[in-house]
Amino acid sequence: MNRIIGRIIGSVLSLCLIALIYFTVNIHDMLESRHDIEIGYVEALRVVMSRNYDSKEELLLKNQLLQEKARHVHIYYSPEQQSLIPYTSEILDKAHTENRRLIGEYPAPPLDLILFQDSEQFYDYSQIRNTNGYYSDFDKVIGILPIDMRTNSPANTQKELINYIIMHEYSHYALLQKIQTLGVQEYIPEWFLEGYAEYISFQPAEAGAHRNPLDHLIPFENLEKSEQWKHLRTAGAVDIYRQSEEAIAYIINEYGKDFIIDILKQTRQSESFEEAIQQATGLDYDELEARLLAPAQ
């Protein structure tokens, strides 16, 4: 009897080991393909478990900087940026509070915030131009260039920029964690993600205030994919960030903040994101665009 039980346990363990190896190989291949990196099998498992990838370049950069911790966020900075840290921590608290107000509780895996010293350092690490901030969900990193430090920008200007970028990029982090918690596997359009982050960046009381109404916009179906967004962002014909923010503001003002989550939940049973919005609000893309243009007509 004991021998039979031992064989059963051995068989189960063997199947578990085979499943683990199969899972690890698939995860490893997916990470290397999707993110164009070279990574070991054990490291691939660690990335999945921690939902955070620390590249050699990231570790090298962070080892050269000072560090402070605010909640679940590790802030990395140079000695010259010491005076900005209390304000940075304050804005992180505000971003956390505002996101909880809109989407409720969300997981908070460790997050790194790096204050870069100059544009050269920022580009060498991020390989991103024409911006002062970004968020990588794969790396769990918010990168901020608080003006080029070599220009000796006024402290108040640096703080204004830090406020905007933290509120925007942290909102990407918060919403993406919430999306994973909801079990949403479907693709969420860029305009929705960016619009949400912009809405948080401009305090709700100020959203849409002291600005002229939109007189033209880009069809939302052309703002769904990352490639489309990157192209139109640099083209500059229309402020697609403002258009997307006003779409989110309209949905929240008209239907309530809970509809952000309602739309995300609806995507799990809809064939497209436009259909999810229509099911939740009754608006398709054409109608939403018409509503946004209505004040100017």
Side-chain angles (χ1 to χ4, degrees):
M1 186 67 174
N2 290 338
R3 182 177 297 178
I4 295 175
I5 294 175
R7 287 178 178 176
I8 293 174
I9 294 175
S11 298
V12 171
L13 291 176
S14 296
L15 288 174
C16 290
L17 180 60
I18 292 171
L20 178 61
I21 292 173
Y22 178 81
F23 172 78
T24 303
V25 170
N26 277 275
I27 287 295
H28 168 270
D29 293 346
M30 180 273 291
L31 289 175
E32 287 202 333
S33 173
R34 180 177 297 179
H35 300 283
D36 192 25
I37 59 173
E38 292 185 2
I39 187 173
Y41 291 101
V42 174
E43 179 69 5
L45 271 181
R46 191 195 68 78
V47 169
V48 172
M49 294 175 66
S50 65
R51 292 191 292 173
N52 186 6
Y53 174 65
D54 292 324
S55 66
K56 294 179 180 178
E57 293 79 8
E58 179 185 337
L59 292 173
L60 179 62
L61 175 61
K62 291 191 297 189
N63 286 336
Q64 298 171 353
L65 299 172
L66 301 176
Q67 179 188 163
E68 294 283 346
K69 187 175 182 182
R71 292 181 180 269
H72 52 284
V73 184
H74 295 270
I75 306 169
Y76 294 88
Y77 60 97
S78 66
E80 295 81 6
Q81 297 167 319
Q82 176 74 53
S83 62
L84 296 174
I85 302 309
Y87 184 74
T88 299
S89 298
E90 176 186 332
I91 301 305
L92 281 168
D93 281 340
K94 184 171 75 168
H96 178 71
T97 300
E98 280 300 305
N99 277 279
R100 286 182 59 195
R101 182 181 68 82
L102 277 184
I103 61 176
E105 297 292 339
Y106 52 86
L111 173 68
D112 293 332
L113 187 152
I114 301 175
L115 293 176
F116 289 89
Q117 299 174 67
D118 53 59
S119 54
E120 181 180 353
Q121 184 191 48
F122 181 86
Y123 177 74
D124 286 346
Y125 178 79
S126 68
Q127 296 296 296
I128 303 174
R129 295 190 185 278
N130 303 316
T131 185
N132 283 71
Y134 73 94
Y135 170 65
S136 168
D137 196 53
F138 182 61
D139 298 313
K140 293 294 184 297
V141 167
I142 291 175
I144 299 178
L145 176 61
I147 313 298
D148 194 315
M149 297 299 289
R150 295 174 182 175
T151 65
N152 296 317
S153 303
N156 61 326
T157 304
Q158 292 178 12
K159 287 183 177 180
E160 289 172 4
L161 189 61
I162 287 173
N163 179 85
Y164 168 74
I165 294 178
I166 289 180
M167 296 298 288
H168 183 101
E169 304 300 347
Y170 184 92
S171 297
H172 280 313
Y173 161 84
L175 186 59
L176 289 172
Q177 308 321 304
K178 186 70 173 185
I179 288 171
Q180 291 181 19
T181 300
L182 293 173
V184 176
Q185 301 296 324
E186 291 72 19
Y187 185 83
I188 305 300
E190 289 294 311
W191 74 262
F192 190 86
L193 298 174
E194 294 294 345
Y196 173 83
E198 282 291 278
Y199 180 82
I200 292 284
S201 301
F202 296 99
Q203 290 303 300
E206 302 173 1
H210 65 263
R211 291 187 290 184
N212 294 325
L214 293 170
D215 55 6
H216 61 288
L217 45 73
I218 301 293
F220 283 109
E221 64 184 14
N222 296 332
L223 295 175
E224 292 204 329
K225 304 298 183 183
S226 177
E227 296 76 15
Q228 295 173 314
W229 185 273
K230 289 177 181 177
H231 170 71
L232 290 168
R233 181 176 72 86
T234 55
V238 173
D239 187 345
I240 55 178
Y241 283 95
R242 179 187 167 189
Q243 172 184 327
S244 301
E245 178 260 311
E246 293 206 8
I248 297 297
Y250 179 85
I251 291 171
I252 291 174
N253 293 337
E254 193 73 13
Y255 303 100
K257 63 182 179 63
D258 292 342
F259 271 76
I260 296 297
I261 299 301
D262 290 344
I263 291 170
L264 291 172
K265 289 180 178 178
Q266 192 64 46
T267 62
R268 297 180 301 196
Q269 53 199 47
S270 301
E271 294 186 3
S272 68
F273 192 78
E274 181 178 8
E275 181 182 319
I277 286 186
Q278 190 168 17
Q279 290 294 327
T281 67
L283 303 176
D284 60 13
Y285 276 172
D286 288 340
E287 182 63 25
L288 179 59
E289 292 161 13
R291 298 284 182 92
L292 294 180
L293 288 173
Q297 297 173 350

